[in-house]
Amino acid sequence: MLDIPSRVRVHVETLPAAQNDMGVCDAFEQYAPVGRPGAMNAPHPPKVAGIDSTVPAPAHTVAPPPAAPDTSPSGPSGPHAPRPAGALLQDRLAGWVSDLTTLNELTERLARTNGLDAALKELLRAGAALVGARRGLAVLEPDDGLGPDTTIGLGLARADLGHIETVPRSAMPYGTLLDTAAGLPGGDGEDVRPDLFAEDGLDPRHREVAGRLGYAACYALPLSTEAAGRLGAAVWFYDEPAEPAERRRHLVGLYLRFATEHLARLLDTERTRACMATVYEELLPSRLPRVPGVQLASRHRTGPRGGGDWYDALPLPDAALGLAVGSVTGAGPGAIAAMGRLRASLRAYAVMEGEDPVAVLSDLELLLRLTEPARSATALFAYCEPALRRITMAGAGHCPPLVLGERRTEFVETSVSAPLGMLACWEAPSVEFQVSAGETVLLYTDGLLHRTGDSVDRAFARLHTAAASVPRALRHDPAAVADHVLHTVLPNGLDMTDGAEDVALLAARFE
């Protein structure tokens, strides 16, 4: 506790309830008419159908109105007497506390966003409350040219954004900030247009679009800092001629400084994720081979950190076909690189001795043990003879494949085996089985089971039920079978690419 002399001690808890109790979250919820058009939006019906005309009013960020001059004959002792110096200091401190509370609540809400789109939408909502607008747009356009570039609107439909994009870029406030030094750190830092239709040099197309969308003023700020550089710009639109007061400009400037740093961190994360996803995609087959007697389809989902799940299909001598799925332990760039090396090695071994899946996995085990002793992996390799509909398969610590057809839906009986890198004698047991015409063999990675969140037994039961429920009309198409199984085992968005676990499926239908 700071020891403040009693002559200047201020009891903030004695502030008026309306100023002290209302937080910024209440300001987003509570709507009230705003002040004069010169200071804020004037309340009036919307000019565009479907746009809410109410405006969030952060009343606790507005400076208190000046005291009326003392004109009463009673002099200083009358109702309009000058306020004591302590009361003025208390009001000033109350304003500072209110502003800090506002910024704290807004930045906390922004910090909880974990995606660029969500962060830009939150930025627009908070900025609209601070400057007293109800519509706006944010343009993300990093000046390093590496992207991603996007435009997010607040209170503007996709068609409205399309109309705005027809305005010459140089005529829009965000264009001025993005294409000139004004939007760089240390530049002018804002573009204020309090009355668009009163401007003599207003672009005709801008005038037409502003009239169509029903805005008469705008206020724009760059999204730039010394550390992050220039990432984009934000613009808020007023329905009537207006501009934010100096205090509001100061608050939104402080908020955007924090928001830009947060966006820069999200941008780095998004770029890293996109780069890893691209590398992962390039390490998987660009297309599946066409082999007589077999139809192939694949599906895969990559987790946010990138993992080591993979699949492969390659034609082999004597009209044979090699099918493989596997998973490398760990996540991130290291796991992705290891997955690429393992898949390339398996392809080489399969071409040399693919008719013996045990030998293929034994060679892969030896390679992994010698070159990456700290890493383990699971793998399954199947040598298929489409003309005979015969499959010879070996697995090392991997999930058993599933056969589904008109008369059966069952897992292939395989012996339990340790993963690659943990085998005692470098040998995985094998199994040979026959499939009927029209049956599909489904190979998958354990990420399909892990994403369900169920125990292993329940996850296998869910997979079996999903395969058995494939409609008869879809069973001739392996791609439709894979989609049905994926969406049935992983409902409610669990099959999306941002899941925690990688998933890979490979479906082979024998004719």
Side-chain angles (χ1 to χ4, degrees):
M1 177 74 70
L2 294 176
D3 185 13
I4 303 175
S6 59
R7 289 177 296 176
V8 296
R9 188 170 299 165
V10 177
H11 297 281
V12 178
E13 62 270 16
T14 62
L15 298 178
Q19 187 176 26
N20 189 45
D21 294 338
M22 184 169 63
V24 70
C25 295
D26 298 327
F28 280 109
E29 300 292 340
Q30 179 176 337
Y31 295 94
V34 295
R36 299 184 306 275
M40 203 58 55
N41 283 1
H44 67 286
K47 289 184 169 58
V48 181
I51 296 181
D52 184 8
S53 62
T54 56
V55 181
H60 58 297
T61 64
V62 182
D70 183 11
T71 58
S72 65
S74 59
S77 61
H80 301 287
R83 303 184 66 187
L88 295 177
L89 178 59
Q90 178 175 325
D91 288 346
R92 179 170 295 181
L93 288 177
W96 292 343
V97 170
S98 179
D99 290 348
L100 290 175
T101 302
T102 296
L103 291 177
N104 179 66
E105 293 179 0
L106 290 176
T107 53
E108 282 185 349
R109 292 180 59 165
L110 181 65
R112 288 194 291 268
T113 59
N114 55 8
L116 284 175
D117 285 356
L120 289 172
K121 291 177 181 177
E122 177 60 31
L123 179 152
L124 287 174
R125 285 193 293 266
L130 290 175
V131 304
R134 66 186 180 88
R135 288 183 288 172
L137 64 88
V139 179
L140 185 67
E141 191 175 297
D143 57 1
D144 58 10
L146 300 179
D149 298 345
T150 186
T151 301
I152 300 293
L154 172 69
L156 297 171
R158 183 180 297 272
D160 300 333
L161 294 176
H163 287 305
I164 292 175
E165 289 179 354
T166 63
V167 179
R169 182 183 174 94
S170 59
M172 293 299 296
Y174 64 82
T176 302
L177 296 176
L178 291 176
D179 298 336
T180 67
L184 293 172
D188 295 340
E190 65 178 9
D191 189 309
V192 187
R193 305 194 183 181
D195 192 349
L196 286 171
F197 297 106
E199 296 181 8
D200 294 334
L202 183 64
D203 182 86
R205 180 57 183 168
H206 193 185
R207 182 184 300 273
E208 179 184 349
V209 170
R212 176 190 293 267
L213 300 184
Y215 66 86
C218 55
Y219 177 66
L221 287 173
L223 302 174
S224 64
T225 63
E226 291 290 346
R230 182 170 55 191
L231 302 184
V235 187
W236 292 276
F237 300 106
Y238 296 92
D239 299 334
E240 300 291 344
E243 62 179 299
E246 185 63 29
R247 184 178 181 184
R248 289 175 176 263
R249 294 186 188 183
H250 178 66
L251 286 177
V252 75
L254 293 175
Y255 175 75
L256 286 193
R257 189 179 307 170
F258 171 84
T260 302
E261 297 292 341
H262 181 63
L263 287 172
R265 291 188 290 269
L266 294 177
L267 186 63
D268 289 340
T269 302
E270 185 70 21
R271 288 175 173 176
T272 301
R273 184 180 300 177
C275 180
M276 292 177 59
T278 301
V279 172
Y280 182 82
E281 293 287 341
E282 292 298 322
L283 290 176
L284 294 176
S286 58
R287 61 183 181 85
L288 296 174
R290 294 184 178 181
V291 177
V294 182
Q295 298 179 27
L296 299 174
S298 63
R299 296 292 183 268
H300 60 90
R301 301 289 185 268
T302 308
R305 296 185 300 163
D309 286 17
W310 54 276
Y311 67 92
D312 203 354
L314 67 158
L316 298 175
D318 301 325
L321 173 68
L323 302 177
V325 291
S327 177
V328 176
T329 56
I336 293 177
M339 176 269 289
R341 293 190 293 269
L342 201 66
R343 173 176 169 263
S345 301
L346 186 142
R347 290 176 70 91
Y349 297 144
V351 170
M352 293 186 295
E353 47 191 4
E355 68 279 358
D356 186 359
V358 170
V360 172
L361 293 186
S362 297
D363 292 342
L364 202 61
E365 153 74 16
L366 178 60
L367 177 70
L368 190 65
R369 185 184 292 264
L370 294 177
T371 60
E372 300 185 57
R375 192 181 296 278
S376 64
T378 66
L380 187 148
F381 177 73
Y383 179 78
C384 306
E385 300 172 88
L388 303 175
R389 293 195 291 274
R390 183 171 60 197
I391 300 175
T392 306
M393 181 179 299
H398 205 80
C399 303
L402 184 65
V403 179
L404 60 116
E406 295 292 336
R407 298 183 179 181
R408 63 171 174 169
T409 299
E410 60 186 25
F411 291 101
V412 177
E413 292 291 340
T414 58
S415 301
V416 178
S417 171
L420 298 175
M422 299 181 181
L423 292 174
C425 58
W426 302 343
E427 182 174 316
S430 63
V431 63
E432 181 179 308
F433 62 97
Q434 200 85 17
V435 294
S436 302
E439 289 187 330
T440 299
V441 178
L442 184 67
L443 285 68
Y444 54 93
T445 59
D446 55 4
L448 179 65
L449 306 177
H450 292 164
R451 281 202 186 192
T452 63
D454 294 336
S455 63
V456 175
D457 291 340
R458 290 178 60 87
F460 273 116
R462 177 182 290 190
L463 174 59
H464 185 277
T465 301
S469 65
V470 176
R472 292 180 179 272
L474 301 180
R475 297 199 174 194
H476 69 282
D477 184 1
V481 171
D483 286 334
H484 178 87
V485 170
L486 184 64
H487 299 318
T488 304
V489 175
L490 301 175
N492 303 323
L494 291 176
D495 62 322
M496 301 305 291
T497 57
D498 56 354
E501 298 279 347
D502 288 0
V503 176
L505 289 87
L506 181 60
R509 182 181 183 274
F510 290 81
E511 299 175 349

